[in-house]
Short mmCIF file of all heavy atoms in Angstrom, two decimals:
data_model
loop_
_atom_site.label_atom_id
_atom_site.label_comp_id
_atom_site.label_asym_id
_atom_site.label_seq_id
_atom_site.Cartn_x
_atom_site.Cartn_y
_atom_site.Cartn_z
N ARG A 345 -2.00 -6.54 -8.47
CA ARG A 345 -1.71 -7.39 -9.64
C ARG A 345 -0.24 -7.35 -9.98
O ARG A 345 0.30 -8.33 -10.47
CB ARG A 345 -2.56 -6.88 -10.84
CG ARG A 345 -2.38 -7.75 -12.10
CD ARG A 345 -3.30 -7.32 -13.17
NE ARG A 345 -4.70 -7.58 -12.78
CZ ARG A 345 -5.73 -7.34 -13.58
NH1 ARG A 345 -5.57 -6.79 -14.78
NH2 ARG A 345 -6.96 -7.60 -13.18
N ILE A 350 -0.04 -13.35 -11.44
CA ILE A 350 -0.38 -14.71 -11.80
C ILE A 350 -0.49 -14.73 -13.29
O ILE A 350 -1.59 -14.51 -13.90
CB ILE A 350 -1.71 -15.18 -11.15
CG1 ILE A 350 -1.62 -15.07 -9.61
CG2 ILE A 350 -2.01 -16.65 -11.54
CD1 ILE A 350 -0.63 -15.95 -8.97
N SER A 356 5.81 -25.95 -21.78
CA SER A 356 7.06 -26.72 -21.91
C SER A 356 7.93 -26.65 -20.71
O SER A 356 8.92 -27.42 -20.57
CB SER A 356 7.87 -26.17 -23.12
OG SER A 356 8.05 -24.76 -23.02
N GLY A 360 10.46 -29.93 -16.80
CA GLY A 360 11.68 -29.54 -16.08
C GLY A 360 11.41 -29.12 -14.65
O GLY A 360 12.20 -29.40 -13.74
N VAL A 362 8.90 -30.21 -12.76
CA VAL A 362 8.63 -31.43 -11.98
C VAL A 362 9.89 -32.17 -11.64
O VAL A 362 10.07 -32.65 -10.50
CB VAL A 362 7.65 -32.32 -12.77
CG1 VAL A 362 7.50 -33.69 -12.13
CG2 VAL A 362 6.29 -31.68 -12.90
N CYS A 368 15.00 -32.11 -5.84
CA CYS A 368 15.14 -31.42 -4.54
C CYS A 368 14.59 -32.26 -3.39
O CYS A 368 15.23 -32.32 -2.33
CB CYS A 368 14.36 -30.09 -4.59
SG CYS A 368 15.28 -28.72 -5.28
N ILE A 375 19.94 -34.55 3.07
CA ILE A 375 20.48 -33.49 3.88
C ILE A 375 19.84 -33.48 5.31
O ILE A 375 20.52 -33.31 6.32
CB ILE A 375 20.32 -32.11 3.22
CG1 ILE A 375 21.17 -32.03 1.95
CG2 ILE A 375 20.69 -30.96 4.17
CD1 ILE A 375 20.93 -30.79 1.12
N GLN A 380 19.89 -34.63 11.15
CA GLN A 380 19.38 -35.43 12.23
C GLN A 380 20.43 -36.31 12.92
O GLN A 380 20.35 -36.59 14.09
CB GLN A 380 18.22 -36.28 11.73
CG GLN A 380 16.98 -35.54 11.32
CD GLN A 380 15.93 -36.39 10.67
OE1 GLN A 380 15.76 -37.56 11.02
NE2 GLN A 380 15.26 -35.88 9.64
N MET A 383 22.14 -33.78 15.05
CA MET A 383 21.28 -33.04 15.99
C MET A 383 19.88 -33.64 15.93
O MET A 383 19.03 -33.33 15.10
CB MET A 383 21.21 -31.56 15.51
CG MET A 383 20.42 -30.70 16.47
SD MET A 383 20.63 -28.93 16.07
CE MET A 383 20.42 -28.92 14.28
N VAL A 385 16.07 -34.85 16.28
CA VAL A 385 14.88 -34.05 16.32
C VAL A 385 14.15 -34.17 17.63
O VAL A 385 13.87 -35.32 18.06
CB VAL A 385 13.92 -34.49 15.15
CG1 VAL A 385 12.65 -33.63 15.14
CG2 VAL A 385 14.65 -34.41 13.81
N LEU A 404 -7.00 -35.11 4.23
CA LEU A 404 -7.51 -33.96 3.46
C LEU A 404 -7.13 -32.62 4.12
O LEU A 404 -6.83 -31.67 3.40
CB LEU A 404 -9.04 -34.04 3.34
CG LEU A 404 -9.61 -35.15 2.47
CD1 LEU A 404 -11.09 -35.13 2.43
CD2 LEU A 404 -9.00 -35.10 1.06
N GLU A 419 4.25 -18.07 -0.77
CA GLU A 419 4.69 -17.56 -2.06
C GLU A 419 4.28 -16.08 -2.29
O GLU A 419 5.08 -15.30 -2.80
CB GLU A 419 4.17 -18.41 -3.21
CG GLU A 419 4.74 -19.80 -3.27
CD GLU A 419 6.24 -19.76 -3.18
OE1 GLU A 419 6.92 -19.05 -3.95
OE2 GLU A 419 6.83 -20.48 -2.32
N ILE A 440 17.60 -13.06 -4.79
CA ILE A 440 17.09 -14.42 -4.68
C ILE A 440 17.62 -15.10 -3.43
O ILE A 440 16.88 -15.75 -2.67
CB ILE A 440 17.45 -15.26 -5.93
CG1 ILE A 440 16.67 -14.76 -7.15
CG2 ILE A 440 17.24 -16.75 -5.70
CD1 ILE A 440 17.12 -15.40 -8.44
N LEU A 446 15.62 -15.83 4.14
CA LEU A 446 14.52 -15.44 5.01
C LEU A 446 13.38 -16.48 5.00
O LEU A 446 12.76 -16.77 6.02
CB LEU A 446 13.94 -14.09 4.54
CG LEU A 446 14.85 -12.86 4.79
CD1 LEU A 446 14.24 -11.65 4.17
CD2 LEU A 446 15.07 -12.64 6.28
N TRP A 455 15.99 -28.05 11.12
CA TRP A 455 15.79 -29.23 10.31
C TRP A 455 15.15 -28.92 8.98
O TRP A 455 15.34 -29.62 8.00
CB TRP A 455 14.99 -30.27 11.06
CG TRP A 455 15.66 -30.73 12.34
CD1 TRP A 455 16.62 -31.65 12.47
CD2 TRP A 455 15.48 -30.12 13.63
NE1 TRP A 455 17.04 -31.73 13.78
CE2 TRP A 455 16.38 -30.81 14.50
CE3 TRP A 455 14.69 -29.10 14.13
CZ2 TRP A 455 16.47 -30.48 15.87
CZ3 TRP A 455 14.75 -28.80 15.47
CH2 TRP A 455 15.63 -29.48 16.36
N LEU A 467 12.60 -21.60 -6.50
CA LEU A 467 11.38 -20.82 -6.81
C LEU A 467 11.68 -19.37 -7.08
O LEU A 467 11.01 -18.77 -7.94
CB LEU A 467 10.44 -20.95 -5.63
CG LEU A 467 9.98 -22.40 -5.25
CD1 LEU A 467 9.00 -22.35 -4.11
CD2 LEU A 467 9.35 -23.10 -6.47
N LEU A 486 3.89 -28.93 -4.92
CA LEU A 486 4.41 -30.26 -5.26
C LEU A 486 5.46 -30.69 -4.24
O LEU A 486 5.44 -31.87 -3.82
CB LEU A 486 5.02 -30.24 -6.67
CG LEU A 486 5.64 -31.51 -7.19
CD1 LEU A 486 4.54 -32.57 -7.27
CD2 LEU A 486 6.24 -31.32 -8.58
N GLY A 489 3.69 -31.62 -1.18
CA GLY A 489 2.75 -32.70 -1.36
C GLY A 489 3.31 -34.06 -1.44
O GLY A 489 2.67 -35.06 -1.16
N GLN A 503 12.75 -44.04 3.79
CA GLN A 503 13.62 -43.66 4.86
C GLN A 503 14.21 -42.32 4.57
O GLN A 503 14.80 -42.06 3.51
CB GLN A 503 14.76 -44.70 5.05
CG GLN A 503 15.74 -44.31 6.14
CD GLN A 503 15.11 -44.25 7.48
OE1 GLN A 503 14.26 -45.07 7.81
NE2 GLN A 503 15.48 -43.25 8.30
N ALA A 525 20.15 -36.21 -7.72
CA ALA A 525 21.05 -35.24 -8.39
C ALA A 525 20.79 -35.21 -9.91
O ALA A 525 20.83 -34.12 -10.51
CB ALA A 525 22.51 -35.66 -8.09
N LEU A 526 20.54 -36.36 -10.46
CA LEU A 526 20.26 -36.45 -11.91
C LEU A 526 19.00 -35.68 -12.27
O LEU A 526 18.95 -34.93 -13.24
CB LEU A 526 20.21 -37.91 -12.36
CG LEU A 526 19.89 -38.12 -13.85
CD1 LEU A 526 20.99 -37.52 -14.72
CD2 LEU A 526 19.74 -39.62 -14.14
#
Side-chain angles (χ1 to χ4, degrees):
R345 182 173 295 181
I350 304 294
S356 53
V362 171
C368 274
I375 294 173
Q380 291 173 36
M383 185 169 47
V385 181
L404 292 179
E419 291 312 308
I440 291 175
L446 290 175
W455 300 276
L467 299 181
L486 181 61
Q503 179 62 40
L526 178 62

